[in-house]
Amino acid sequence: GAVVSQHPSRVICKSGTSVKIECRSLDFQATTMFWYRQFPKQSLMLMATSNEGSKATYEQGVEKDKFLINHASLTLSTLTVTSAHPEDSSFYICSARSPTGNRNNEQFFGPGTRLTVL
Amino acid sequence: AQKITQTQPGMFVQEKEAVTLDCTYDTSDQSYGLFWYKQPSSGEMIFLIYQGSYDEQNATEGRYSLNFQKARKSANLVISASQLGDSAMYFCAMREDTGGFKTIFGAGTRLFVKA
């Protein structure tokens, strides 16, 4: 199956700093990538949909200036958490979708990035 | 608005027994997809099974089967012959086929398999 990687897998930062998380599709071209966050013992909440070469579409309640998303190529999307605060500590998961050869229009998930803001 | 409901926060099953995890959904779309994912403590999302809204037969993948009742808008997951390694969080998800193929997730069910 298709492989999606995320980097870093775990990051600890000080409050007020910015953190960038990368999501890469390794063996396919992803026209669309999705970013989710997951708090402990909770479900995945969609933050935004990222299409290559265009601005991301954010879900209601997600601050676009706080969570900057860039999808500069067909294999890479980045999520930057700006001026991070302890309440931004969470598990961030990306997924990627390819329109070709994808019978179920399935998304392929990355392994996640655990962000801890001190 | 689309919605996914999983009413069982936690379930216990004896090893080698079958278990059903419930999922109901709400959508006005005619075309959609339903997924089940397993999330172990490592956090990775493991795809288990898929059912398209136009598929007439229930999906099966090994020990996993999806009991799809379209009129009732339910998509329950059945795990047969439970194994200790099945202990994990299970999420039901729905993908819309209009406006970007977004996928939304239910609250999840934590499954505990007892030896």
Side-chain angles (χ1 to χ4, degrees), chain A residues 32 34 36 38 41-44 46 49 59 91 93 97 103-112 114, chain B residues 35 37 39 41-45 47 50 55 61 89 91 95 97 100-108 110:
Chain A
T32 307
F34 303 89
Y36 296 84
Q38 183 180 30
K41 302 188 189 306
Q42 294 189 24
S43 186
L44 281 72
L46 181 65
T49 302
E59 294 299 304
F91 192 56
I93 306 175
R97 175 185 166 269
R103 184 178 67 90
N104 298 335
N105 276 313
E106 183 181 349
Q107 298 176 33
F108 301 99
F109 285 85
R114 190 164 303 281
Chain B
F35 298 85
Y37 290 90
Q39 188 181 42
S41 56
S42 60
E44 63 182 311
M45 296 294 287
F47 166 78
Y50 168 82
D55 294 341
E61 292 281 354
M89 196 73 173
F91 291 101
R95 179 208 69 231
D97 287 350
F101 296 98
K102 293 193 301 185
T103 297
I104 60 170
F105 286 78
R110 182 161 294 281

Side-chain angles (χ1 to χ4, degrees), chain B residues 3-46:
Chain B
K3 188 176 178 182
I4 297 279
T5 302
Q6 293 180 253
T7 58
Q8 306 154 316
M11 287 283 286
F12 287 86
V13 64
Q14 195 68 40
E15 191 180 11
K16 300 180 184 177
E17 298 287 314
V19 63
T20 298
L21 306 184
D22 295 341
C23 174
T24 58
Y25 60 93
D26 187 23
T27 180
S28 56
D29 288 355
Q30 295 300 310
S31 178
Y32 52 89
L34 297 159
F35 298 85
W36 277 91
Y37 290 90
K38 173 184 178 181
Q39 188 181 42
S41 56
S42 60
E44 63 182 311
M45 296 294 287
I46 301 171

Side-chain angles (χ1 to χ4, degrees), chain B residues 62-84:
Chain B
R63 293 187 299 113
Y64 305 107
S65 60
L66 197 152
N67 185 358
F68 181 46
Q69 298 188 41
K70 191 171 183 177
R72 297 179 58 186
K73 294 188 175 178
S74 74
N76 298 341
L77 176 71
V78 180
I79 305 174
S80 62
S82 297
Q83 302 171 356
L84 295 178

